[in-house]
């Protein structure tokens, strides 16, 4: 029986395999995604954190002093900023966004805010009997203050 030695396969560490090259290309595309760059920009993060703190302060002020016009304008403004922020984070991080439970929590809070501000006024005009549901959803909006913990978590 003639036994030939098995030729060892040498892996050149400098030259990546085709699979590794493809993975790196995908990773580079994701890393350079404009939404991810924006979502990770320190100035953008600082602005978003400032909005969270100002919103929490505004919610505290409006419990003592009522101003329907100013409160309504600020609610729509804050909600628009939150919606834009969560959208850039979801698009930027893609499926990795959903690996963090706090991200999912924030997504739910923003979605509830959108339903409260944009959907419920329309529904209440057509079906005023669901006022109890509205009260529950408005209570859920108070959870938005928990977003302040994200700001604290950064320090």
């Amino acid at each position: 029986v003639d036994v030939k030695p098995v030729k060892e396969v040498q892996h050149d560490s400098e030259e990546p395999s085709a699979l590794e090259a493809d993975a790196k290309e995908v990773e580079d595309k994701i890393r350079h995604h404009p939404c991810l760059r924006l979502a990770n920009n320190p100035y953008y993060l600082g602005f978003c954190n400032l909005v969270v703190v100002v919103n929490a302060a505004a919610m505290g002020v409006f419990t003592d002093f009522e101003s329907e016009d100013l409160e309504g304008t600020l609610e729509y403004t804050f909600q628009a900023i939150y919606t834009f922020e969560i959208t850039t984070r979801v698009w930027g991080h893609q499926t990795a966004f959903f690996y963090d439970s706090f991200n999912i929590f924030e997504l739910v809070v923003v979605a509830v805010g959108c339903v409260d501000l944009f959907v419920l006024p329309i529904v209440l005009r057509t079906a005023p009997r669901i006022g109890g549901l509205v009260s529950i959803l408005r209570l859920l909006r108070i959870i938005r203050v928990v977003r302040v913990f994200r700001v604290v978590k950064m320090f």
Side-chain angles (χ1 to χ4, degrees), residues 33-42 44-45 48 85 87-90 92-93:
H33 193 283
C35 287
L36 185 60
R37 282 196 319 244
L38 178 62
N40 291 332
N41 183 302
Y44 179 72
L45 290 171
C48 292
E85 179 213 5
T87 302
T88 58
R89 288 175 44 209
V90 169
H93 292 282

Side-chain angles (χ1 to χ4, degrees), residues 48-96:
C48 292
N49 291 334
L50 178 65
V51 168
V52 170
V53 171
V54 170
N55 186 16
M59 288 174 78
V61 167
F62 288 124
T63 58
D64 293 333
F65 306 102
E66 290 193 27
S67 173
E68 292 288 324
D69 293 338
L70 181 59
E71 186 177 5
T73 301
L74 286 177
E75 282 295 320
Y76 282 103
T77 303
F78 289 134
Q79 190 62 42
I81 293 170
Y82 290 148
T83 303
F84 181 79
E85 179 213 5
I86 204 80
T87 302
T88 58
R89 288 175 44 209
V90 169
W91 278 350
H93 292 282
Q94 298 175 356
T95 56

